[in-house]
Amino acid sequence: MEHLTVGRVAELAGVSVRTLHHYDDIGLVRPSARTTAGYRAYTPADVERLREVLAYRRLGFGLREIADLVDDPATDAVAHLRRLRGLLLDQRDRAAAMVTAIDRELEARKLGIHTTPEDQLKVFGAQLYDTIGSAYPATRRTEPRIAAQVWDALGDARTVLNVGAGTGSYEPPDRDVTAVEPSAVMRAQRPAGSAPCVAASAENLPFADQSFDAAMAFSTVHHWQDPIAGLREMRRVARRVVVFTHDDSDTGWLKRFWLTRDYLPEVANLVVGRPSVDRLAHVIEARIEPVLIPWDCADGFFEAYWRRPEAYLDEHVRRAISVWTRVGPEAERRAVDELRDDLSSGRWTERNRELLGLGAAELGLRLLVA
């Protein structure tokens, strides 16, 4: 494939050559090839990295943050694209919401109505969506009924370590929380004012023995390279351990949940070689509590829509669930097409009629408490 010169890349990307030289000087994006004439040039991999840098830059990230994001070993090019897409959609929705709010104020002023200072500030604040009734599609929110069970399991702990914390969902607001998250992409998404976050992995926590009253991990153990080592580390640094995970056995999950049983059997390949939930509990001497999923669960994890199957037809919903990415696009397309057909024909309802009257379902989610 043809390599691109610095000048050509600057022309295509709409940036100055000086900007590209600056990125080169600080080691952010360096052209790694040479043209036949000896000039430095960008390879396809260099261009891919530059595209990510420019996208994050135009979203308002600083260069140091961008360096952490693009160098994150836990995130590949596809993950970057999906993350960027989500950020851009968020930015688009916020801009559209502001336009709507401003249009309303212009109309009010045309009628001689003066808006209050509070209403004027809402155009820029967190209340914007409530003010204009925006339907911003946030699919991964804290489910309060599940959160209550997790926080109750923390007991009287005042200091809490959240391992594999992601964006901070389910962190108890009334305790002194320290977060651990290895992914720079996820760390960048933590909201302002959230708990301080350390870049580290579960398997090697940078804390002394018994540093915390409790350590928690929510829906993250299945992403760890060595779950056993991670749990032992949690046990080392805290006197209490609380882990939200799932029983991925045939009876506990694969054949109980209609989505894995009838439409996505490929999920079984994802759990091969993983330690069982009983093994995880044994490692930290934990008791196992079932976690029921309410039919209107606010957190859009994989099993959340067990009584709302139409949700799985929504690509935005699926993109917030890692399972769909891991099974691959072919399996995803087939599963979605079959589910759509069964919903249209009524076959899904015939197969799962017993679910329609349930307020909550037991689909293998488990809380380990040690």
Side-chain angles (χ1 to χ4, degrees), residues 202-217:
E203 297 86 348
N204 188 23
L205 297 175
F207 306 104
D209 294 356
Q210 302 297 291
S211 298
F212 300 90
D213 294 334
M216 62 177 283

Side-chain angles (χ1 to χ4, degrees), residues 47 51 73-74 100 135 139-140 157 159 166 187 234 267 271 276 311 316 319 321 325 345:
V47 169
R51 177 194 61 193
T100 301
T139 65
R140 300 306 302 266
T159 58
R187 292 197 303 272
M234 292 177 68
V267 169
V271 301
S276 68
H316 184 75
R319 291 288 69 80
I321 302 171
T325 300
S345 68

